[in-house]
Amino acid sequence: AQKITQTQPGMFVQEKEAVTLDCTYDTSDQSYGLFWYKQPSSGEMIFLIYQGSYDEQNATEGRYSLNFQKARKSANLVISASQLGDSAMYFCAMREDEGFQKLVFGTGTRLLVSP
Amino acid sequence: KAGVTQTPRYLIKTRGQQVTLSCSPISGHRSVSWYQQTPGQGLQFLFEYFSETQRNKGNFPGRFSGRQFSNSRSEMNVSTLELGDSALYLCASSLVTDPEQYFGPGTRLTVT
């Protein structure tokens, strides 16, 4: 069965520094996708970045990059040059291709960026 | 392009009542998924609709149901509400050809 593990309930980072949020996953499927979402206090889930299991290069989207290590089943999110507006909950999620669009989420990491 | 919209945004219901939540996907998106978010259980998948057909369902009791209309708008219904149904209900839409799912602002349901 699919499982996403986020072991960091909370993380603190100073503005302009980089931070890594950890995510490990478990699946028996060969074809799957990994996602990171940001959830501010307003509640809306904001899509950040996607990595397909067959993608050879790590995904990047602006200040976000996904450190994908397939053998270790990890998909860590790296946020470079943190901003105050990055303070939010961050969720790692996985979709198995056979599950259509069903996402399985981790428990989330609360990131607090301080001035 | 307008994002995913959900109505209502907030809802207070009494135990035993039923409720219907609505989701309008991004124009052109034909897949709509629903999720429940609670402090205790986190984010859990409810069901997914594509072309008016439910093609995946999470592990929720039959009190939770949904449907999708020909314009891809979706509704979910919860009958015989329980206190534990209090949650943020999120809807997400996507293109069939792209993996990204875009979420709406959610409907916060409180059952008293």
Side-chain angles (χ1 to χ4, degrees), chain A residues 22-87:
Chain A
D22 294 342
C23 172
T24 58
Y25 62 92
D26 189 22
T27 179
S28 55
D29 275 19
Q30 298 301 311
S31 183
Y32 52 88
L34 296 155
F35 303 76
W36 278 92
Y37 283 88
K38 171 185 177 182
Q39 187 177 43
S41 55
S42 60
E44 184 170 354
M45 300 285 283
I46 301 169
F47 168 76
L48 295 178
I49 197 165
Y50 166 79
Q51 178 87 39
S53 58
Y54 292 114
D55 294 340
E56 294 185 352
Q57 299 216 341
N58 286 342
T60 60
E61 290 284 351
R63 296 186 298 111
Y64 305 107
S65 61
L66 198 152
N67 184 0
F68 181 46
Q69 298 188 38
K70 195 170 182 177
R72 298 179 60 183
K73 292 191 173 179
S74 75
N76 298 339
L77 177 71
V78 180
I79 306 174
S80 63
S82 298
Q83 301 173 355
L84 295 179
D86 294 335
S87 294

Side-chain angles (χ1 to χ4, degrees), chain A residues 37 39 47 99-101 103, chain B residues 35 37 48 56 94 99-101:
Chain A
Y37 283 88
Q39 187 177 43
F47 168 76
F100 301 108
Q101 297 291 48
L103 291 174
Chain B
Y35 294 84
Q37 186 177 23
E48 182 206 351
N56 207 346
S94 60
E100 294 92 341
Q101 292 188 49

